[in-house]
Amino acid sequence: MKGLPSLFSPTFPALFLPRALLSHYRRHPLQLLALAAMIVIATMLWTGMNHLTSQARASLDQSERAVAQRQQVVRDDGRALVVEDFVSLRLAGVCVMPWLEVTPETGSRLVGIDPLAAHCFGAGTGASQALDQPLDGKPFVDVHAAASISARDSHLYLLTPETTQTTGLPGGYYLKTFSASPDTGELGDSFVLNLEALGVLVLLITALLLRSVYLLGLAQRRDSFALLHRFGVPPGRVQRWLALEILALSLVSVVPGVWLGRWLAAGLGSGFGEALDGLFDIPLYAGQGQGWITPVLVMLAVVVIACLGDLLLLRFRERFSLPLPARAALAIALLAAGLAMAWLAPSLPWVFIAVALVFAGAGWLTPAAIAHLALWRAGRSKAPLARWRFRELAVLVRRLTLPLVALQFALAMVLAVQALVTTFEDTFDRWLGQRLEAAYYIEVPSRTDGHKAAAWLTGQQASAPGLQWHRVIRGKAQLADAENPGGPQVDVLAVAPVGSLVRAWALLEAAVQPWGALASGEGVMINEQLARRQNLGVGDSVQLTLGAQPRALPVLGVYPDYGRPVGEVLLNAATLPDNFDVRFESLSVTPGELGITQVTSALEQIWGVNELSLRDNGTIRELATGVFDQTFALTRAMTLLTLILAASALLMMGWVFFSARAWYFRLLVVWGMQQREVAGQLLRLALLVTGGIAVLALPLGIWLTWVLVHRINPLAFGWSLPMAVYPVFWLELAVLNLAIGLSIAALMRRQLGRPVVAPVSASALMGGER
Amino acid sequence: MTESLLAVRGLSKHFVSGNETVPVIEKLSFTLGQGQSLALTGRSGSGKSTLLNLLCGLELPDAGTIVLHDRVFEAGGAAARRTVTAWSTLRRQHIGVVFQEANLMPALSLLENVQFRAQLAGRDPANSEDWLTRLGIGELAQRYPDQVSGGQRQRAALAMVFAMEPALILADEPTGSLDRHTSDEVARVLFDLQARHGCSLILGTHDAELAAGCQQRLDLGHLNAV
Ligand SMILES: Nc1ncnc2c1ncn2[C@@H]1O[C@H](COP(=O)(O)OP(=O)(O)OP(=O)(O)O)[C@@H](O)[C@H]1O
Ligand SMILES: [Mg+2]
C-alpha cells in the first residue's frame, strides 16, 4: 500500500495503469495463453476456410469464363488432333483455338492456350474475355510454353465458337461438345456456397468462444478494477486501456493465425485441389495473390466486436436493457420470424438473413430455456437433493452460456454438414447408378448411321440373353408457350428403345405407367430444373419445337438431374422428327452373354472405323466416387475441428467454473455424503448440461439441413436434394457429448479430492452465485 | 461428570510442505462429556481448524485414537476405506459443522438449505421453518444466501445444524467475519440452544470473549494441555 501513491503520482499516470492491468496476466499466464490460443485457432480455422473458398471460387470462375463456349472440332477417324489439323482448319476459314492440356512429369496439369488465335471468337464472348487477361496466372499458360514442357501426357483440343456449323467444316472433321468430364459447373458453385456458409458459421462459433474466454478473464479481474476505481481512476480510462490491450493481443495473435490458416489451406489444398480437379475439372492454382490485409482486418474486427462489443454498446444497453421475460419474448420473436422467413423467402439473401435470425434466437433462447426448465423442475422436486441438483444445473448453464451456445451451434453445423454431405454422396451414387445403368458407352462416330447399329443390336437380342441396350441422341429444342413462341432452349435427351435401362430411373413425380406412355410416344419427361423453372408438373404439357413445328406434349414424369443447370426433356428417340439436329449420339450397351468385344468389332465393321470411343461404367463410377470422398472428407474435417474447439472451450470453462464452486460441492462431503455420491451428482450435472445441449442442437441441425437442402440449393441452383436424416450419426454425436460430460465430471472429481479453502466471501467470483 | 461423548488419545498430525515436515498436533489427549462445550484457542496457524477437521474425519490423523459416539477410530488402521465411510455416516447424522463463511448452498433458499441438511441427517424436514424462526430469521426463510446479511447467514447455518439434532457441533470461527455486536448475538443463540438441546460443542476461535462462553478451554499454543 505504501508504494502505491508514489506510483500513482502524476509522474507515472500513463504507465501505472497498464502495469496494474497487466499484473493480472503475470499472475495468471495460462489465461493469457488461452485467450491468445483461442484467437490464433479461430483465425487459423477461418483463414483456412476462407482461403480454400476463394481459391475454389477463383478457379471456378476462370475456368468457366475460359470454356464458356464448349464446342470442339474432332477428326472423323477418331485420331488425335495435331498441329496440321489446326493449320488446315484455319486455312479453311474455321475459327478454332488450340487448347493443349499437358500433365508434366512433376506437378499438376496445365492448359496451354493461344490468345492470338482466340480473336476470331469475337468480342464479348466468354473465351475472349478470359483470354484477354494476362496469362501469368496458373494453370493457363501460353500454348508454346505448354508444348515445350516435358509431359507425361498431353492432349490437344481445338475449340470453336458455337456459331460454327457442321456444314462449314472441311471434310474429315465434325463438331462435338467440349467437356472433359460431366458438366458440373453449378455443382461447383453449390460447393463454394456451402463452404462459404460454413466459413461464416465457423467465424460465429469462434467469436462466441473468444468472448467466453475474454469475459471469464474480465470477471476474474473485477476486483482489481474495483481497486483502481477506489484509487480514483475513471472507468473510461480503464476501458480504453482494456481496448488497447485486447487490440494489441489480437494483433500479435492474428498474424500467426493467418499464417497457420494459409498453411492449413495449403496442406489441405493439395487434396482439395485434386478433388476440385477431378470433380469439376478445375485445377486449383495455389499462391494467388490473396492479401494478408483482408483476413487480418476481418479477424481484428471479430475479436474487437466479440470482446468489446458490449463496451461499445454500453450506453445503448443501459438505455435499452430489457427485463428477462422481454428478452425471452424477443428471442422467441426472432426465432419465429426467422423460421417463417426461411419458409417464405423468395431469394437467397433472405434465406441467409433468416438463418441468422434463427441462430440468434436459438442462441439467446437455449441457455435461458434450459435454466428455466431446470428451475421449474427444482420447484417441483420434493427431494432436496434433486432440488439442489436442478438449481445447480441452472447456475451452471447460466455461467457457461457462451461456450454452451457455441457447442450447440457447432453440433448443429456438424449435423447439417454431415447430413448434406451424406445425402450428396448417396444421391449422386444412386443417380449415377441410374444414369450409368449400362455397362458400356459407345460413341456413334459422326457421319455414320446409328440406325444400322440399332438394327444389328435388335437382331442379336433373340440369340443373346442379357443383352440390354438403347440409343441416346442429344440435341437442343426450343420451349414455347402461348405468350412467348421463342422460349428458352432446353437439352434433349432421346432414347430408343425405352427399355429396361431407363425404366429403373427413380422419378420425383410420375403419371400412371409413365414408361409405357413414353415408349409409345405419348409425352415427355422433364428434369427437376426445368420443372421448377417453368413451374411444370405431371399433367401439364410443354410446347416443344424439336424440328420445325412446335408440338404440345404432356409431362409424364419429373426426374432428378444433379449437377447440371440446364433444363432437359427426355423422350422416345423414335418420335424425333427427321430434321432434328443431332449433336451427339451414343449407344448404351450391357452386352450380356454376347461379350463386349463381339459388340465392338461388329460395330466397327458396320461403321467402317478402326477404333471406337468406348467408356465402361466401372471406371467412371470409381472416378466419381473417389472424388466425392476426398471433397467431403475435407468438409467433414473442417466441421469436426470446429466441434473439437467448441468442446475444449466448454471443458476449459467448465473446469474454471467448477474450481470456483468446488467448496460448495465439498460442503456435501462435510454434510456426510460420500465422495463417491458427490462425484455421482457431478456426473449427472455434467451429463444433464451436455445432454441438454445435444438435444437442443438436434432440431437446429435438422432445420439447418432442411434449409441447405430444400431452400438454399433450389433457390441457388434449381434442384433440391432429398432430405435425409442419419440417426446413427446423431448417436455418434451423443456419444461425443457424453465423452465431454464425462471429462468435465472427471476433472471436477479430481478437484473434490483436494482440500479446499473456504471462500472468504459468497461472491460470484468465489463460486457462490445462484 | 456426564458420560463422555468424545475421547481423544495421543492424537498427532503433521503436514508436509516441500520436503519439510510441519507437526501441527502432537500427542494430544482430552475428553469431552455429553452436553459440554470446549473452546479451542491459539494463535493463527496453531492448528485449530486442523483439529476440528480431524474430529469429524475430514482429515485423518497420523497417530492416536478418537472415540466418538461409541465408535472407535484408530489412526493408520488397515481398513481406511471403512474408516472414511464410518466418518461420513457420523457427519451425516450426528456432527454439525459450521465454518466462518459459505455454509449454505448458494442456489437454495435458507429454508431449502435447512430442509436439505435435515433430510440428509434423516430428520423430519417439516421442522425446518421452526428452526429458522427460533434463530430469529423466520421471515427470511424464502430468501437466498446472497440476499441476507452475514449475521443472518450464520444464523441460518446454525438453524441448519440444530435441525439435524446433532450430538456434537464443530464450529470453526463461526462469528469470525461478523462485527462485535452481531457476533455476540449469534454466539448467544448458539450457546443458548446448545445448552437447551444438550449437544456438545467444540468451538475454534481466537476471540477470548467467545471462548469465555464455553465451559472448557484447550489452548493449542501449549501442545497436550487440557
Ligand atoms: N493441507 C495443508 N497442507 C499443508 N499445511 C497445512 C495444511 N492445512 C494446514 N496446514 C498448516 O497447518 C498449520 C495449522 O493450520 P490451521 O488452519 O489448523 O490453523 P488455525 O489455528 O486454524 O489458524 P487460523 O486461526 O488462522 O484459522 C498451519 O501452519 C498451516 O499452514
Ligand atoms: Mg482456522
Side-chain angles (χ1 to χ4, degrees):
Chain A
M1 263 324 249
K2 230 176 166 186
L4 273 175
S6 70
L7 258 182
F8 195 55
S9 68
T11 42
F12 286 110
L15 274 178
F16 163 70
L17 200 53
R19 261 158 74 182
L21 287 173
L22 284 180
S23 69
H24 170 81
Y25 287 130
R26 253 211 319 278
R27 269 174 292 128
H28 305 276
L30 269 182
Q31 235 173 63
L32 186 67
L33 219 66
L35 193 58
M38 207 53 113
I39 299 178
V40 169
I41 294 172
T43 312
M44 180 182 89
L45 266 178
W46 182 73
T47 316
M49 206 77 188
N50 195 41
H51 205 62
L52 283 180
T53 313
S54 56
Q55 276 185 0
R57 192 186 313 98
S59 302
L60 278 167
D61 279 357
Q62 184 157 1
S63 100
E64 219 160 71
R65 266 184 278 122
V67 291
Q69 287 154 329
R70 301 158 193 262
Q71 199 169 219
Q72 58 171 326
V73 179
V74 290
R75 289 175 65 103
D76 270 353
D77 56 13
R79 267 197 246 138
L81 291 163
V82 289
V83 178
E84 283 73 45
D85 292 304
F86 173 67
V87 175
S88 64
L89 281 164
R90 285 306 281 257
L91 285 177
V94 182
C95 171
V96 284
M97 179 190 79
W99 173 282
L100 180 63
E101 284 188 16
V102 289
T103 313
E105 302 286 355
T106 56
S108 57
R109 195 178 52 173
L110 295 173
V111 173
I113 46 179
D114 182 1
L116 292 174
H119 281 311
C120 62
F121 274 60
T125 63
S128 72
Q129 268 170 16
L131 303 173
D132 284 344
Q133 294 176 357
L135 287 172
D136 44 284
K138 304 257 164 25
F140 291 99
V141 295
D142 191 87
V143 69
H144 302 294
S148 62
I149 290 171
S150 86
R152 197 149 32 97
D153 184 27
S154 78
H155 197 116
L156 177 70
Y157 299 90
L158 291 174
L159 304 194
T160 186
E162 238 178 18
T163 46
T164 309
Q165 297 292 314
T166 316
T167 47
L169 293 180
Y173 296 97
Y174 70 100
L175 288 176
K176 201 179 149 188
T177 45
F178 176 77
S179 82
S181 72
D183 173 9
T184 44
E186 294 265 330
L187 192 64
D189 286 350
S190 157
F191 182 69
V192 168
L193 191 75
N194 283 327
L195 272 185
E196 227 154 46
L198 219 64
V200 172
L201 262 179
V202 166
L203 201 63
L204 177 71
I205 290 166
T206 47
L208 279 173
L209 295 177
L210 261 176
R211 185 171 164 72
S212 68
V213 175
Y214 184 69
L215 287 188
L216 178 75
L218 273 197
Q220 292 186 329
R221 292 160 86 180
R222 213 177 289 144
D223 283 353
S224 27
F225 297 154
L227 198 68
L228 286 173
H229 188 61
R230 252 178 278 147
F231 285 159
V233 181
R237 241 180 69 213
V238 177
Q239 285 174 7
R240 270 198 298 282
W241 274 106
L242 280 178
L244 205 68
E245 175 195 278
I246 188 71
L247 219 70
L249 181 66
S250 44
L251 251 180
V252 169
S253 324
V254 158
V255 172
V258 170
W259 184 81
L260 276 173
R262 295 169 136 243
W263 172 78
L264 185 76
L268 291 173
S270 56
F272 184 76
E274 275 172 46
L276 264 182
D277 193 4
L279 185 55
F280 311 122
D281 200 36
I282 299 153
L284 182 76
Y285 46 103
Q288 225 221 344
Q290 253 259 314
W292 282 70
I293 304 291
T294 319
V296 168
L297 283 184
V298 167
M299 276 322 287
L300 277 183
V302 167
V303 173
V304 167
I305 289 170
C307 297
L308 304 174
D310 38 356
L311 213 73
L312 304 172
L313 288 179
L314 207 58
R315 296 226 175 76
F316 172 83
R317 281 231 310 206
E318 269 163 15
R319 208 166 299 163
F320 295 97
S321 89
L322 292 169
L324 199 71
R327 244 183 304 168
L330 187 65
I332 290 171
L334 283 181
L335 198 64
L339 289 176
M341 199 190 276
W343 183 271
L344 300 169
S347 63
L348 266 190
W350 288 106
V351 179
F352 286 131
I353 293 173
V355 171
L357 285 181
V358 167
F359 268 73
W364 231 356
L365 207 57
T366 301
I370 298 184
H372 210 78
L373 208 70
L375 289 180
W376 174 79
R377 276 292 280 117
R380 282 173 35 110
S381 306
K382 286 279 170 289
L385 190 60
R387 181 157 56 200
W388 167 82
R389 191 172 53 241
F390 284 115
R391 291 275 173 78
E392 285 296 307
L393 178 64
V395 176
L396 189 61
V397 170
R398 228 174 300 131
R399 192 55 195 266
L400 299 180
T401 292
L402 287 171
L404 281 178
V405 169
L407 181 66
Q408 186 197 13
F409 286 2
L411 280 172
M413 182 178 78
V414 170
L415 216 81
V417 166
Q418 204 277 346
L420 185 75
V421 163
T422 315
T423 313
F424 255 62
E425 276 175 328
D426 273 10
T427 313
F428 274 97
D429 207 42
R430 254 186 295 121
W431 177 69
L432 221 63
Q434 278 180 20
R435 281 293 163 105
L436 304 178
E437 188 76 39
Y440 294 96
Y441 299 85
I442 304 163
E443 224 172 89
V444 178
S446 173
R447 301 212 181 111
T448 57
D449 200 347
H451 286 288
K452 272 194 223 155
W456 181 79
L457 281 164
T458 315
Q460 296 299 312
Q461 206 130 31
S463 58
L467 171 67
Q468 288 177 297
W469 65 277
H470 63 226
R471 281 170 74 198
V472 174
I473 295 171
R474 288 187 172 276
K476 298 247 182 237
Q478 194 111 42
L479 267 192
D481 51 45
E483 306 102 64
N484 185 11
Q489 264 206 342
V490 293
D491 281 0
V492 171
L493 171 65
V495 297
V498 180
S500 47
L501 286 179
V502 278
R503 284 183 192 235
W505 284 18
L507 297 176
L508 299 173
E509 210 186 315
V512 213
Q513 305 229 309
W515 296 109
L518 189 76
S520 52
E522 285 162 27
V524 298
M525 297 200 187
I526 58 177
N527 71 354
E528 187 190 358
Q529 287 87 314
L530 188 60
R532 280 180 185 269
R533 212 166 297 149
Q534 300 291 322
N535 204 12
L536 291 169
V538 169
D540 298 330
S541 66
V542 283
Q543 290 275 339
L544 214 55
T545 314
L546 284 162
Q549 283 302 309
R551 277 197 287 168
L553 293 162
V555 174
L556 301 169
V558 179
Y559 57 92
D561 186 16
Y562 303 107
R564 280 160 42 83
V566 279
E568 187 184 77
V569 294
L570 170 70
L571 44 82
N572 187 345
T575 65
L576 285 175
D578 290 338
N579 60 350
F580 181 74
D581 181 14
V582 176
R583 303 247 173 149
F584 179 81
E585 192 177 351
S586 66
L587 290 169
S588 307
V589 181
T590 301
E593 288 188 6
L594 207 53
I596 189 63
T597 42
Q598 261 175 283
V599 175
T600 47
S601 57
L603 291 178
E604 275 163 11
Q605 219 165 28
I606 290 169
W607 288 330
V609 294
N610 340 336
E611 221 184 316
L612 285 179
S613 158
L614 177 93
R615 290 194 294 172
D616 77 303
N617 185 328
T619 34
I620 300 176
R621 279 185 94 156
E622 213 169 273
L623 185 87
T625 41
V627 153
F628 268 104
D629 286 352
Q630 211 169 27
T631 311
F632 292 137
L634 184 83
T635 319
R636 281 205 183 105
M638 279 299 200
T639 50
L640 270 180
L641 223 59
T642 314
L643 185 62
I644 289 168
L645 185 68
S648 16
L650 182 65
L651 218 60
M652 188 173 81
M653 301 288 292
W655 185 69
V656 170
F657 168 80
F658 275 126
S659 316
R661 208 154 173 93
W663 168 265
Y664 294 98
F665 289 97
R666 212 167 126 82
L667 211 50
L668 291 177
V669 177
V670 174
W671 292 355
M673 274 173 75
Q674 305 220 9
Q675 281 217 13
R676 202 165 12 88
E677 292 174 88
V678 179
Q681 293 298 324
L682 277 170
L683 188 63
R684 289 173 75 164
L685 260 178
L687 290 184
L688 272 173
V689 171
T690 50
I693 279 300
V695 166
L696 286 174
L698 190 59
L700 193 64
I702 293 175
W703 180 81
L704 192 62
T705 315
W706 175 81
V707 168
L708 282 174
V709 160
H710 276 295
R711 300 298 301 151
I712 293 183
N713 251 330
L715 280 173
F717 313 111
W719 43 268
S720 73
L721 290 162
M723 168 100 186
V725 287
Y726 298 90
V728 177
F729 186 66
W730 300 353
L731 220 65
E732 281 172 40
L733 280 190
V735 169
L736 183 76
N737 257 329
L738 204 75
I740 300 172
L742 286 174
S743 321
I744 294 181
L747 273 177
M748 189 49 206
R749 215 204 140 138
R750 279 193 50 201
Q751 305 234 2
L752 259 191
R754 300 186 199 138
V756 184
V757 185
V760 290
S761 77
S763 71
L765 208 57
M766 299 287 183
E769 76 266 54
R770 67 181 160 87
Chain B
M1 187 116 181
T2 45
E3 193 187 328
S4 132
L5 172 83
L6 169 72
V8 173
R9 277 193 301 273
L11 197 66
S12 295
K13 177 74 182 173
H14 69 267
F15 288 109
V16 180
S17 69
N19 41 15
E20 207 183 329
T21 316
V22 185
V24 180
I25 310 254
E26 249 179 319
K27 298 202 180 102
L28 180 71
S29 303
F30 67 92
T31 56
L32 186 69
Q34 204 135 45
Q36 288 194 314
S37 57
L38 168 71
L40 294 181
T41 57
R43 275 176 286 111
S44 183
S46 56
K48 303 183 290 291
S49 300
T50 304
L51 180 55
L52 287 171
N53 282 343
L54 288 171
L55 293 180
C56 63
L58 287 175
E59 307 241 25
L60 295 178
D62 302 320
T65 310
I66 299 172
V67 183
L68 176 60
H69 210 257
D70 299 333
R71 237 150 296 185
V72 183
F73 298 95
E74 301 259 14
R81 182 85 176 254
R82 280 232 307 279
T83 309
V84 170
T85 313
W87 272 121
S88 281
T89 314
L90 257 190
R91 278 201 306 274
R92 193 171 187 138
Q93 295 171 355
H94 303 296
I95 308 176
V97 181
V98 186
F99 300 103
Q100 178 175 342
E101 266 280 358
N103 289 293
L104 308 167
M105 288 295 175
L108 296 178
S109 71
L110 302 189
L111 179 61
E112 287 164 347
N113 263 293
V114 179
Q115 286 169 341
F116 190 2
R117 187 68 186 91
Q119 182 114 2
L120 268 181
R123 318 285 184 242
D124 185 2
N127 299 329
S128 301
E129 199 147 12
D130 276 359
W131 279 110
L132 285 171
T133 311
R134 247 176 278 181
L135 278 140
I137 47 171
E139 70 282 10
L140 303 178
Q142 303 305 333
R143 298 242 191 128
Y144 287 85
D146 63 346
Q147 292 174 325
V148 300
S149 73
Q152 287 160 344
R153 268 203 294 277
Q154 286 309 78
R155 282 169 190 262
L158 292 181
M160 199 159 68
V161 162
F162 282 111
M164 62 171 286
E165 299 164 27
L168 174 65
I169 296 176
L170 300 177
D172 193 355
E173 309 275 15
T175 60
S177 55
L178 305 178
D179 62 72
R180 186 75 255 166
H181 179 71
T182 319
S183 163
D184 288 347
E185 267 182 9
V186 170
R188 201 170 50 239
V189 244
L190 171 59
F191 289 132
D192 184 39
L193 285 173
Q194 179 252 331
R196 209 175 320 154
H197 291 274
C199 52
S200 307
L201 168 70
I202 301 181
L203 182 80
T205 180
H206 46 222
D207 179 350
E209 216 168 300
L210 192 62
C214 292
Q215 297 155 326
Q216 300 177 38
R217 185 167 166 162
L218 176 65
D219 191 359
L220 290 179
H222 315 89
L223 290 174
N224 303 336
V226 180

